[in-house]
Amino acid sequence: GQQVMQIPQYQHVQEGEDFTTYCNSSTTLSNIQWYKQRPGGHPVFLIQLVKSGEVKKQKRLTFQFGEAKKNSSLHITATQTTDVGTYFCAGRRGATNKLIFGTGTLLAVQP
Amino acid sequence: EADIYQTPRYLVIGTGKKITLECSQTMGHDKMYWYQQDPGMELHLIHYSYGVNSTEKGDLSSESTVSRIRTEHFPLTLESARPSHTSQYLCASSEQGRNTIYFGEGSWLTVV
């Protein structure tokens, strides 16, 4: 079954509001990546987190990796219409090179 | 953006037809992958390759097959397409020792 879950599945916000998606794994991850997929497009790599408790920022986006390396979050401050899309987390377990994608969160931003 | 190309981008075929989805990358990446994604759903790994003559099944069982005769080329073949194969197929690659995966633009397959 699915081992990397994301909540919520869907979020509709007004432009300017904040948005957060949460990613939870049933097992410890060696690292976690985040991807963004625009409607009709393909996933594009955003960032990778490796260390326990790591926090990284990209302009209005803040990414966090949990202390136990089982969960992660992506927070967008003051959303814009260009933020629309599905955000996927993806994690690797142990020495495996296979990336397990989360279920995704679809963000809709109303102008 | 990465240099990874998929053809065709869109394909509508009849049941029972054989089809090959092409994927090529010009970055010299050793690792290549095929993911299947239904609209609005998560990505499922169906095949991967760590180099020439290396192919493995992914986490999601698939009736498709792949080959890796050249580093840059990783085609996916369906011998007899069925409506249940209707989906988007995403090819991807990554560099040995690096974790970032670069995706192609995808091939939308519809089997009628």
Side-chain angles (χ1 to χ4, degrees), chain A residues 2 31 33 35 37 40-45 48 50 86 88 92 96-104, chain B residues 1 9 31 33 35 37 41-45 48 50 59 88 90 98-101 103-106 108:
Chain A
Q2 183 58 254
N31 60 64
Q33 299 178 6
Y35 290 78
Q37 183 175 24
H42 59 282
V44 175
F45 174 81
Q48 175 173 278
V50 178
T86 301
F88 290 98
R92 294 181 193 276
T96 178
N97 282 307
K98 288 191 290 182
L99 205 57
I100 309 297
F101 278 83
T103 48
Chain B
E1 283 295 322
R9 291 290 318 281
K31 299 179 188 176
Y33 316 83
Y35 288 86
Q37 183 184 32
M41 304 298 286
E42 64 264 42
L43 292 88
H44 293 288
L45 181 66
Y48 62 100
Y50 288 161
D59 301 316
Q88 182 185 29
L90 288 155
R98 292 191 174 271
N99 291 324
T100 305
I101 289 185
F103 285 88
E105 294 190 343
W108 288 92

Side-chain angles (χ1 to χ4, degrees), chain B residues 58-104:
Chain B
D59 301 316
L60 180 68
S61 176
S62 174
E63 294 168 344
S64 59
T65 59
V66 292
S67 63
R68 190 89 185 274
I69 299 173
R70 303 197 315 266
T71 298
E72 62 271 20
H73 196 213
F74 192 40
L76 179 145
T77 298
L78 274 167
E79 290 293 333
S80 179
R82 295 205 301 271
S84 60
H85 296 139
T86 295
S87 189
Q88 182 185 29
Y89 294 84
L90 288 155
C91 182
S93 71
S94 66
E95 189 177 353
Q96 186 73 26
R98 292 191 174 271
N99 291 324
T100 305
I101 289 185
Y102 297 95
F103 285 88

